[in-house]
Amino acid sequence: MPFPPRLQIAGATYHVATRATGPSEFFRIPEDRRAFRNILKHAIEKYEWRVHAYCLMVTHYHLVVTTPKPNIARGMQPLNSVYARAFNERHARLGHLVAARYSATLIESDGHAFEVCRYLPLNPVRAKLCARPEQWPWSSYAATIGLQRAPDFLDSSWILERFGDDVSTARQTLRDFVDAALVSETTQAA
């Protein structure tokens, strides 16, 4: 049975995720993640997307993206397929890399937006890849809170506007918001 068509909405903001097949790695080495970010940059330029956040894990990745035109599907197909071909060639691998079609959840409320703004940076901490979210080098979080230079394709204004009127306040409020969840989870685990 075919999948139902994706919602294609001009001006929509989505939480997008793609996962590797089975227990496979979507990213094995730093060059994989650098290549993906480069392919993503080209997709952003071609489809005029605005990427507000990303987190490249081991078996999957997350994006928060606004599509000024109704073209999420048109951009995701080449993003994943170009990356998969490059990954397979780099690692002398055959077969499918992407497990299934990507997930794209519309972010339709402020509550959902806040949760996504916290979920992405905490993902590598929860996976025990780092102790703090700003330590994960393959996430936009450290750039969004001002600890490193942002890639030129990153538009973190969508996130920061939810946390304050000026950039400095917004960055600190976002950091406090993420840290509060981290402290809560650490306390519950103890």
Side-chain angles (χ1 to χ4, degrees), residues 7 129 150:
L7 289 175
L129 298 171

Side-chain angles (χ1 to χ4, degrees), residues 9-189:
I9 302 170
T13 301
Y14 300 88
H15 172 199
V16 178
T18 297
R19 192 166 282 291
T21 55
S24 297
E25 297 168 319
F26 202 85
F27 305 104
R28 288 185 184 168
I29 57 175
E31 181 54 34
D32 294 335
R33 290 182 178 92
R34 282 191 286 274
F36 179 84
R37 285 197 323 197
N38 201 29
I39 295 164
L40 174 61
K41 181 181 175 184
H42 290 295
I44 292 165
E45 292 167 358
K46 182 173 183 176
Y47 298 102
E48 300 175 17
W49 291 352
R50 291 191 343 254
V51 170
H52 310 299
Y54 66 87
C55 186
L56 312 182
M57 298 293 287
V58 175
T59 60
H60 64 288
Y61 70 84
H62 297 271
L63 304 174
V64 176
V65 59
T66 297
T67 58
K69 297 178 181 177
N71 62 2
I72 190 72
R74 289 198 61 198
M76 287 302 296
Q77 192 281 328
L79 173 62
N80 284 335
S81 65
V82 168
Y83 175 74
R85 283 193 303 273
F87 180 90
N88 283 352
E89 184 175 310
R90 187 177 309 104
H91 297 290
R93 182 185 179 282
L94 296 173
H96 295 284
L97 176 64
V98 177
R101 70 183 193 158
Y102 64 93
S103 67
T105 306
L106 277 172
I107 300 173
E108 298 183 275
S109 70
D110 284 339
H112 189 185
F114 282 116
E115 195 49 45
V116 167
C117 291
R118 182 166 40 197
Y119 177 79
L120 266 68
L122 289 176
N123 209 312
V125 176
R126 289 172 176 153
K128 299 185 181 358
L129 298 171
C130 59
R132 300 214 24 95
E134 63 272 14
Q135 294 170 337
W136 186 242
W138 305 108
S139 165
S140 57
Y141 180 69
T144 300
I145 62 172
L147 296 180
Q148 63 182 231
R149 187 170 177 263
D152 60 353
F153 64 78
L154 183 67
D155 176 3
S156 58
S157 63
W158 181 89
I159 293 172
L160 293 174
E161 287 167 358
R162 284 162 169 67
F163 291 92
D165 292 332
D166 70 271
V167 172
S168 178
T169 300
R171 285 177 168 163
Q172 187 58 53
T173 305
L174 170 60
R175 192 171 191 174
D176 292 345
F177 180 67
V178 171
D179 283 351
L182 185 61
V183 168
S184 174
E185 290 176 11
T186 304
T187 303
Q188 289 174 2

